[in-house]
Amino acid sequence: LFIFDVHGTLLSCNWKDKYQLVYQELFQTAPPADWIMQNIFGKNDKEIAEFLRQASGRFLTEINALIAKYQRFIHTTADIPAVPGALKFIETLKAKQIPFFIISGGNKEVVTAQLTKNNLLTGVPEQNILCGLPRAEMLSALVQQYPQHNLLLWDDWIEGVAAFSEQGGIVCGLPQ
């Protein structure tokens, strides 16, 4: 059973945009070209928020609110193209009748629209698109619902790799 994260896996990665916008609001200027790679890449959300708190002198609650604000903004307004090869991969799974789920912490209406725009949902049952819940919760539910299957998660979420591996799933982590 395949499980796909949406943003960064089926649709192009946009997590960097969120942090660039947060940086710009905090410091009133665009981040230096190498800022993402030096300070953000390879860190989880808590580490990033703490780094931004220390660098800006702002409260952690304010930093977390900005991160959430720009995450929502990007996931609800951005025109996000499909990852090269994603459509062919989904079509192959459907042709071979290999079951799969698509998961996202984002708003289902928005995620569905983004995937539809890229032709990634043709023939995908509605119940196979899970959105709006914490990712760990969705993964746990799928592990429990499909105990007879080997589950393979395609994801770019650092915390998800460890969380899903602990539940016995196999993870294909996509580098960003």
Side-chain angles (χ1 to χ4, degrees):
L1 180 72
F2 284 81
I3 304 167
F4 295 96
D5 173 47
V6 175
H7 298 97
T9 306
L10 292 176
L11 299 178
S12 294
C13 173
N14 61 0
W15 65 267
K16 296 173 193 168
D17 300 343
K18 164 180 66 177
Y19 294 112
Q20 289 171 335
L21 291 168
V22 170
Y23 184 100
Q24 192 160 347
E25 184 162 329
L26 289 171
F27 301 103
Q28 301 303 305
T29 185
D34 62 348
W35 181 77
I36 291 285
M37 290 306 291
Q38 288 182 356
N39 302 293
I40 303 299
F41 189 78
K43 295 179 174 66
N44 65 40
D45 288 341
K46 288 179 184 177
E47 292 169 326
I48 295 167
E50 179 58 25
F51 169 79
L52 290 168
R53 183 197 66 75
Q54 289 177 6
S56 69
R58 306 276 185 94
F59 290 109
L60 190 56
T61 53
E62 183 181 359
I63 300 297
N64 286 328
L66 285 174
I67 291 170
K69 169 186 166 182
Y70 286 113
Q71 180 73 39
R72 279 190 306 277
F73 171 76
I74 288 168
H75 280 194
T76 58
T77 63
D79 184 17
I80 305 170
V83 168
L87 179 59
K88 182 67 175 164
F89 194 14
I90 294 293
E91 288 174 343
T92 300
L93 292 174
K94 288 188 291 190
K96 295 182 180 268
Q97 298 180 350
I98 298 171
F100 64 91
F101 281 83
I102 296 171
I103 64 171
S104 174
N107 174 283
K108 188 168 187 171
E109 184 177 309
V110 172
V111 170
T112 301
Q114 291 170 339
L115 292 167
T116 299
K117 186 172 186 172
N118 286 285
N119 298 315
L120 290 166
L121 289 186
T122 305
V124 177
E126 174 75 19
Q127 69 267 20
N128 287 33
I129 306 164
L130 309 175
C131 296
L133 297 170
R135 202 173 320 193
E137 200 174 300
M138 291 184 280
L139 292 171
S140 180
L142 289 171
V143 167
Q144 291 174 14
Q145 189 175 353
Y146 294 93
Q148 71 281 15
H149 285 79
N150 289 322
L151 277 66
L152 175 63
L153 172 66
W154 291 78
D155 206 337
D156 68 334
W157 178 53
I158 294 169
E159 289 92 351
V161 171
F164 195 58
S165 295
E166 288 173 10
Q167 296 181 42
I170 302 165
V171 180
C172 179
L174 303 175
Q176 299 302 319

